[in-house]
Amino acid sequence: MRKLGMIGGMSWVSTRDYYERINRGVRARTSPMASAPLLIESLDFEPLWGLNSDEDWRRAGDVLAQSAERLVQAGAEGLIICANSMHKVYDQVAAAAGVPVLHIAECVGDAMHAANVTGAVLIGTRNVMTERFYRERLVAHGVDLLPPDMDMIEEIDRIIYQELMRGKITRDAERTLKTWITRKEQDGAEAVVLACTELAMIVDVDANVLPVFDSTRIHCNAAVDWMLATDN
């Protein structure tokens, strides 16, 4: 198997989920005693959240690019960034790494294209929902995205940063997301993209009013595909 490097810690809650899902995927496709060959650098998230200015994001890009370089020097043959919002600095990280870096939105777009989904609503942190770096990747796969729900952005952002990334799950948050998804179905959405690696903590991915494309699950499946690939 190819050795995969994981840039994690954003948050550690979802990094834990990545580690488990990738190992379960490898075991399911190889043998009951198999483990995934992984290198993980769990970054301190404290200086990497609440980024607003271009300077903030350049600094974050430097942190992740340096992490990528360390993982490659340690033997990683490919990388994943275990966070949706940090893919804003994907190009900087990929350039520093010099090895394949699996883009989470590309993986989600491929999955939606394979499922013939052409219309969806995107839910995640503020920058994922409103900026071009993520949305354009999905649109390039033929997915028509509903406009950002501006009256909900602040509340969803609060739930993600103040609750989920701290490992906190509340019934209020579950009800908020369930109501919002039901409303989006009424607005004409064909599917929901969970473009935050913690959202599956409060959204039922397998039994919902709309099909749910969970970016974490999809990214992990793509990572397993890459690790087990036999081509060069």
Short mmCIF file of all heavy atoms in Angstrom, two decimals, residues 7-31:
data_model
loop_
_atom_site.label_atom_id
_atom_site.label_comp_id
_atom_site.label_asym_id
_atom_site.label_seq_id
_atom_site.Cartn_x
_atom_site.Cartn_y
_atom_site.Cartn_z
N ILE A 7 -2.75 15.77 7.15
CA ILE A 7 -2.61 17.05 7.86
C ILE A 7 -3.88 17.24 8.66
O ILE A 7 -4.94 17.52 8.11
CB ILE A 7 -2.38 18.22 6.89
CG1 ILE A 7 -1.17 17.94 5.99
CG2 ILE A 7 -2.19 19.52 7.66
CD1 ILE A 7 -0.94 19.01 4.93
N GLY A 8 -3.79 17.02 9.97
CA GLY A 8 -4.98 16.99 10.81
C GLY A 8 -4.97 18.04 11.90
O GLY A 8 -4.24 19.02 11.85
N GLY A 9 -5.83 17.81 12.89
CA GLY A 9 -5.95 18.72 14.01
C GLY A 9 -6.93 19.86 13.78
O GLY A 9 -7.04 20.76 14.62
N MET A 10 -7.67 19.82 12.65
CA MET A 10 -8.52 20.97 12.27
C MET A 10 -9.98 20.50 12.03
O MET A 10 -10.48 20.64 10.93
CB MET A 10 -7.95 21.63 11.01
CG MET A 10 -6.51 22.06 11.17
SD MET A 10 -5.73 22.50 9.59
CE MET A 10 -5.61 20.90 8.77
N SER A 11 -10.62 19.91 12.98
CA SER A 11 -10.24 19.73 14.37
C SER A 11 -9.76 18.29 14.63
O SER A 11 -9.88 17.43 13.76
CB SER A 11 -11.46 19.99 15.27
OG SER A 11 -12.46 18.99 15.02
N TRP A 12 -9.27 18.06 15.86
CA TRP A 12 -8.85 16.71 16.22
C TRP A 12 -10.03 15.75 16.21
O TRP A 12 -9.87 14.54 15.99
CB TRP A 12 -8.17 16.70 17.60
CG TRP A 12 -9.08 17.03 18.76
CD1 TRP A 12 -9.24 18.23 19.34
CD2 TRP A 12 -9.93 16.12 19.46
NE1 TRP A 12 -10.16 18.15 20.38
CE2 TRP A 12 -10.59 16.86 20.47
CE3 TRP A 12 -10.21 14.76 19.34
CZ2 TRP A 12 -11.52 16.29 21.35
CZ3 TRP A 12 -11.14 14.19 20.21
CH2 TRP A 12 -11.78 14.94 21.20
N VAL A 13 -11.26 16.29 16.42
CA VAL A 13 -12.46 15.46 16.43
C VAL A 13 -12.63 14.77 15.07
O VAL A 13 -12.86 13.56 14.99
CB VAL A 13 -13.70 16.31 16.75
CG1 VAL A 13 -14.96 15.47 16.68
CG2 VAL A 13 -13.57 16.94 18.14
N SER A 14 -12.50 15.53 13.99
CA SER A 14 -12.66 14.93 12.67
C SER A 14 -11.43 14.13 12.25
O SER A 14 -11.53 13.15 11.51
CB SER A 14 -12.97 16.00 11.62
OG SER A 14 -11.93 16.95 11.54
N THR A 15 -10.24 14.51 12.74
CA THR A 15 -9.04 13.75 12.43
C THR A 15 -9.16 12.34 12.98
O THR A 15 -8.74 11.36 12.34
CB THR A 15 -7.79 14.44 13.01
OG1 THR A 15 -7.73 15.77 12.50
CG2 THR A 15 -6.52 13.70 12.62
N ARG A 16 -9.73 12.22 14.16
CA ARG A 16 -9.99 10.90 14.74
C ARG A 16 -10.90 10.09 13.83
O ARG A 16 -10.67 8.88 13.61
CB ARG A 16 -10.65 11.09 16.12
CG ARG A 16 -11.11 9.81 16.80
CD ARG A 16 -11.91 10.16 18.05
NE ARG A 16 -13.08 10.97 17.73
CZ ARG A 16 -13.83 11.57 18.66
NH1 ARG A 16 -13.51 11.49 19.94
NH2 ARG A 16 -14.90 12.28 18.30
N ASP A 17 -11.93 10.74 13.27
CA ASP A 17 -12.85 10.06 12.37
C ASP A 17 -12.14 9.62 11.10
O ASP A 17 -12.36 8.51 10.60
CB ASP A 17 -14.02 10.98 12.05
CG ASP A 17 -15.20 10.26 11.42
OD1 ASP A 17 -15.28 9.02 11.56
OD2 ASP A 17 -16.05 10.92 10.79
N TYR A 18 -11.28 10.48 10.55
CA TYR A 18 -10.50 10.12 9.37
C TYR A 18 -9.67 8.86 9.64
O TYR A 18 -9.64 7.93 8.82
CB TYR A 18 -9.55 11.26 9.00
CG TYR A 18 -10.07 12.23 7.97
CD1 TYR A 18 -10.87 13.30 8.34
CD2 TYR A 18 -9.75 12.09 6.63
CE1 TYR A 18 -11.33 14.21 7.39
CE2 TYR A 18 -10.19 12.99 5.68
CZ TYR A 18 -11.00 14.05 6.07
OH TYR A 18 -11.45 14.94 5.13
N TYR A 19 -8.97 8.84 10.76
CA TYR A 19 -8.09 7.71 11.08
C TYR A 19 -8.88 6.41 11.13
O TYR A 19 -8.47 5.39 10.56
CB TYR A 19 -7.39 7.97 12.42
CG TYR A 19 -6.47 6.85 12.84
CD1 TYR A 19 -5.22 6.70 12.26
CD2 TYR A 19 -6.86 5.95 13.82
CE1 TYR A 19 -4.37 5.66 12.64
CE2 TYR A 19 -6.02 4.92 14.22
CZ TYR A 19 -4.79 4.78 13.62
OH TYR A 19 -3.96 3.75 14.00
N GLU A 20 -10.03 6.46 11.79
CA GLU A 20 -10.84 5.25 11.91
C GLU A 20 -11.42 4.82 10.57
O GLU A 20 -11.36 3.64 10.21
CB GLU A 20 -11.97 5.47 12.92
CG GLU A 20 -12.85 4.24 13.10
CD GLU A 20 -13.91 4.42 14.18
OE1 GLU A 20 -13.90 5.48 14.86
OE2 GLU A 20 -14.74 3.51 14.33
N ARG A 21 -11.97 5.75 9.82
CA ARG A 21 -12.60 5.40 8.55
C ARG A 21 -11.59 4.85 7.54
O ARG A 21 -11.88 3.89 6.82
CB ARG A 21 -13.31 6.62 7.96
CG ARG A 21 -14.61 6.96 8.66
CD ARG A 21 -15.41 8.02 7.91
NE ARG A 21 -16.68 8.27 8.55
CZ ARG A 21 -17.76 7.53 8.40
NH1 ARG A 21 -17.72 6.47 7.59
NH2 ARG A 21 -18.88 7.82 9.02
N ILE A 22 -10.42 5.45 7.48
CA ILE A 22 -9.41 4.96 6.53
C ILE A 22 -8.95 3.56 6.92
O ILE A 22 -8.82 2.67 6.06
CB ILE A 22 -8.24 5.95 6.44
CG1 ILE A 22 -8.69 7.24 5.75
CG2 ILE A 22 -7.06 5.33 5.68
CD1 ILE A 22 -7.66 8.35 5.76
N ASN A 23 -8.74 3.33 8.19
CA ASN A 23 -8.33 2.00 8.62
C ASN A 23 -9.42 0.96 8.38
O ASN A 23 -9.13 -0.17 7.95
CB ASN A 23 -7.91 2.02 10.09
CG ASN A 23 -6.45 2.34 10.27
OD1 ASN A 23 -5.59 1.50 9.98
ND2 ASN A 23 -6.15 3.53 10.73
N ARG A 24 -10.66 1.32 8.65
CA ARG A 24 -11.76 0.39 8.38
C ARG A 24 -11.87 0.09 6.89
O ARG A 24 -12.15 -1.03 6.48
CB ARG A 24 -13.07 0.96 8.92
CG ARG A 24 -13.19 0.94 10.43
CD ARG A 24 -14.58 1.38 10.89
NE ARG A 24 -14.70 1.37 12.32
CZ ARG A 24 -14.97 0.30 13.07
NH1 ARG A 24 -15.16 -0.88 12.46
NH2 ARG A 24 -15.07 0.37 14.38
N GLY A 25 -11.66 1.13 6.07
CA GLY A 25 -11.74 0.91 4.63
C GLY A 25 -10.65 0.00 4.12
O GLY A 25 -10.89 -0.88 3.28
N VAL A 26 -9.43 0.19 4.61
CA VAL A 26 -8.32 -0.68 4.22
C VAL A 26 -8.58 -2.11 4.65
O VAL A 26 -8.39 -3.07 3.88
CB VAL A 26 -6.99 -0.15 4.81
CG1 VAL A 26 -5.89 -1.21 4.73
CG2 VAL A 26 -6.56 1.12 4.08
N ARG A 27 -9.04 -2.29 5.87
CA ARG A 27 -9.31 -3.64 6.37
C ARG A 27 -10.40 -4.33 5.55
O ARG A 27 -10.28 -5.51 5.21
CB ARG A 27 -9.74 -3.58 7.84
CG ARG A 27 -9.95 -4.96 8.47
CD ARG A 27 -10.34 -4.85 9.92
NE ARG A 27 -11.66 -4.23 10.07
CZ ARG A 27 -12.22 -3.97 11.24
NH1 ARG A 27 -11.55 -4.22 12.36
NH2 ARG A 27 -13.41 -3.43 11.30
N ALA A 28 -11.46 -3.58 5.22
CA ALA A 28 -12.56 -4.17 4.46
C ALA A 28 -12.13 -4.62 3.08
O ALA A 28 -12.67 -5.58 2.53
CB ALA A 28 -13.71 -3.16 4.35
N ARG A 29 -11.13 -3.95 2.51
CA ARG A 29 -10.73 -4.26 1.14
C ARG A 29 -9.47 -5.10 1.04
O ARG A 29 -9.05 -5.45 -0.06
CB ARG A 29 -10.56 -2.95 0.37
CG ARG A 29 -11.90 -2.24 0.16
CD ARG A 29 -11.75 -0.91 -0.53
NE ARG A 29 -11.03 -0.99 -1.78
CZ ARG A 29 -10.74 0.04 -2.57
NH1 ARG A 29 -11.14 1.25 -2.19
NH2 ARG A 29 -10.07 -0.10 -3.67
N THR A 30 -8.86 -5.42 2.18
CA THR A 30 -7.64 -6.24 2.15
C THR A 30 -7.81 -7.47 3.03
O THR A 30 -8.23 -8.52 2.57
CB THR A 30 -6.41 -5.42 2.56
OG1 THR A 30 -6.64 -4.81 3.83
CG2 THR A 30 -6.10 -4.33 1.55
N SER A 31 -7.50 -7.35 4.31
CA SER A 31 -7.64 -8.48 5.23
C SER A 31 -7.98 -7.98 6.62
O SER A 31 -7.72 -6.81 6.94
CB SER A 31 -6.34 -9.29 5.28
OG SER A 31 -5.36 -8.60 6.03
#
